[in-house]
Amino acid sequence: NLRAFPTLSSRHLSVIAAPLKPTKNNYRSYFPTSATNINKFDQWYQQVTSFPKNLSTLYKQIIIYNNTTSAINSSQTNVRAPNAWTSKGIPRRIVEFRRQLKHDLSIVIPVAVGYVVVPVLGNIFVVLAFLSPRASLSRQFLTWEQIRQFAALDDSYRQRYYYRDIFKIFERKKGDNEHNCDLEEFCRQKLQHSGSTSPILKLDELPRENLITLALSQGTPFTNLHPNVAIPFYTYCIPTLYIRSKIQSIRDDIFVDDILLIRDKESDKLALSQLTDGDVLEACVLRGLPCSRRTSITEMRIALRYHLNLVSRLLSFNNEHLKIGHYASVLEGSNSVLKDIILYLPSIRHHFSSNFEKVTKTKL
């Protein structure tokens, strides 16, 4: 419960974090003395010493989260005094801010709690966190270069380990031939037969093996570990009910964000071009769109636009109408098969692109 977060001022946070100012000589021995490693050390040292400031930023964002919660509740319950969100719906930037903050807290809270609860020795939690930032720190404590690097690493893991196995959840008959249709036509075929004879395994029906692969490809907790660690950990330690609930939450987040971005794009043609580079990267990571180091932000923006155009056409094909309102109202009455297909889109794209490359090489 975010409201249970202790009421601390910036002054309190600076006092708590005061022991966090080490000298460079204390930690330089951890790094071999080469020009590259000295630069890495300086970056690492700067991040460690700026931890109190970034912790204060995170605390301020939690305050904003609580304020937006009050505003959302008043827009839904207080008919006599409606706010700007009552009729127009909650802005996409607010919904996305809340989603990202919850994700950030799930990563960094163990480090913050360990630092605050354990006197003096709590500093070791921060030092270890910055030695493995991808697994222990949220975006408030990372540089843009690190955020970009970790997104590319996630993308490479998805391509190498997960997408091929996820496509197995589609029940295909012997005579089916995906080479004769494109990506959109394939999705429409699956939507056409949704219902009792659905040609895909619904999320609620997926066996544990497929759930684990899907969870690892969707950025659920602990997926920022290397696959050689994450796969056995999920296989032997994480309950199926927990995995399914986390995937359902991510599926709903993607669907709602798609709806809100499409709504903004239809009302303002420049809406997508006004997203910041960070917004575009986060949107691509959430949807499993390409975000390797070879992919520029401009190319990511184009990929996001193509994705939204495809989802918009699938919504029209499925007679889904854009809903205006809060998170739950957008999800209410939506076709679960459509939401599942949107969730599976990264693996479907990967399958079609791989087959296209195979066919092209064969012809050549």
Side-chain angles (χ1 to χ4, degrees):
N1 186 358
L2 291 178
R3 291 183 177 276
F5 198 90
T7 306
L8 300 174
S9 64
S10 300
R11 181 174 58 85
H12 291 144
L13 287 172
S14 62
V15 171
I16 291 174
L20 243 187
K21 294 185 177 180
T23 61
K24 290 188 178 183
N25 293 331
N26 290 345
Y27 299 118
R28 193 179 286 277
S29 59
Y30 287 101
F31 295 83
T33 54
S34 67
T36 303
N37 285 322
I38 287 176
N39 290 335
K40 289 182 179 179
F41 167 79
D42 291 337
Q43 179 186 7
W44 175 84
Y45 174 79
Q46 184 179 3
Q47 286 184 287
V48 171
T49 53
S50 63
F51 184 83
K53 177 183 176 181
N54 295 330
L55 189 62
S56 177
T57 300
L58 180 63
Y59 172 72
K60 292 176 182 177
Q61 291 180 354
I62 293 173
I63 298 298
I64 296 173
Y65 183 101
N66 288 331
N67 291 339
T68 57
T69 300
S70 301
I72 291 170
N73 292 336
S74 66
S75 70
Q76 297 168 15
T77 59
N78 194 348
V79 180
R80 294 183 179 180
N83 59 32
W85 298 350
T86 304
S87 57
K88 296 182 179 180
I90 304 171
R92 186 259 174 184
R93 67 179 185 279
I94 299 297
V95 177
E96 179 62 9
F97 165 79
R98 292 165 62 84
R99 182 196 68 81
Q100 288 185 20
L101 184 60
K102 286 189 287 186
H103 176 70
D104 294 338
L105 290 174
S106 69
I107 297 174
V108 80
I109 271 185
V111 177
V113 170
Y115 170 72
V116 173
V117 172
V118 183
V120 183
L121 294 178
N123 287 339
I124 195 64
F125 287 93
V126 179
V127 174
L128 292 176
F130 279 101
L131 289 175
S132 57
R134 181 170 176 266
S136 308
L137 295 175
S138 60
R139 58 194 168 90
Q140 290 83 2
F141 304 91
L142 301 175
T143 64
W144 168 251
E145 183 63 24
Q146 286 176 314
I147 294 173
R148 189 81 168 81
Q149 175 187 349
F150 297 156
L153 195 59
D154 290 338
D155 183 64
S156 68
Y157 286 162
R158 290 173 174 179
Q159 301 284 346
R160 290 168 55 192
Y161 292 94
Y162 306 132
Y163 285 160
R164 182 182 67 257
D165 294 331
I166 293 174
F167 196 78
K168 295 177 182 177
I169 64 178
F170 290 91
E171 298 175 348
R172 301 184 299 283
K173 298 179 181 179
K174 189 174 181 180
D176 287 350
N177 186 1
E178 290 100 16
H179 299 301
N180 295 332
C181 63
D182 59 10
L183 173 64
E184 182 176 347
E185 181 61 27
F186 178 83
C187 294
R188 290 190 178 193
Q189 288 178 7
K190 302 308 177 186
L191 278 174
Q192 260 182 333
H193 299 92
S194 63
S196 57
T197 58
S198 176
I200 70 169
L201 287 173
K202 298 181 181 179
L203 184 58
D204 297 335
E205 303 169 354
L206 284 183
R208 178 176 172 82
E209 178 185 359
N210 295 130
L211 275 176
I212 290 173
T213 307
L214 187 60
L216 290 169
S217 71
Q218 292 297 330
T220 52
F222 311 112
T223 55
N224 45 11
L225 303 172
H226 190 277
N228 292 339
V229 178
I231 293 174
F233 183 71
Y234 261 79
T235 303
Y236 300 111
C237 301
I238 306 297
T240 301
L241 186 63
Y242 175 84
I243 297 174
R244 198 185 303 275
S245 66
K246 288 300 180 182
I247 296 175
Q248 288 173 340
S249 176
I250 292 175
R251 179 195 65 178
D252 293 343
D253 286 340
I254 295 173
F255 185 75
V256 169
D257 199 42
D258 281 346
I259 295 289
L260 295 177
L261 278 173
I262 292 170
R263 182 192 66 183
D264 292 347
K265 186 166 69 75
E266 290 185 352
S267 60
D268 182 4
K269 293 182 179 180
L270 298 178
L272 289 184
S273 60
Q274 292 172 352
L275 295 177
T276 65
D277 291 352
D279 292 336
V280 173
L281 181 61
E282 286 287 346
C284 289
V285 169
L286 177 64
R287 293 162 176 81
L289 295 171
C291 47
S292 66
R293 296 307 295 263
R294 294 176 297 178
T295 308
S296 67
I297 296 295
T298 301
E299 291 171 328
M300 292 184 197
R301 202 180 294 270
I302 294 172
L304 178 61
R305 188 183 301 276
Y306 282 148
H307 169 86
L308 294 175
N309 289 339
L310 173 60
V311 172
S312 179
R313 291 193 294 270
L314 292 178
L315 287 169
S316 301
F317 179 78
N318 202 54
N319 296 321
E320 293 271 348
H321 302 287
L322 296 183
K323 303 177 181 65
I324 297 176
H326 57 97
Y327 189 98
S329 68
V330 174
L331 293 172
E332 185 178 358
S334 299
N335 188 335
S336 61
V337 176
L338 174 61
K339 290 190 289 186
D340 288 345
I341 288 178
I342 294 175
L343 178 68
Y344 303 149
L345 269 178
S347 61
I348 301 174
R349 287 194 193 94
H350 178 75
H351 176 81
F352 273 85
S353 62
S354 299
N355 282 350
F356 176 77
E357 290 175 3
K358 292 177 183 177
V359 172
T360 304
K361 289 179 180 178
T362 304
K363 290 181 178 180
L364 291 176

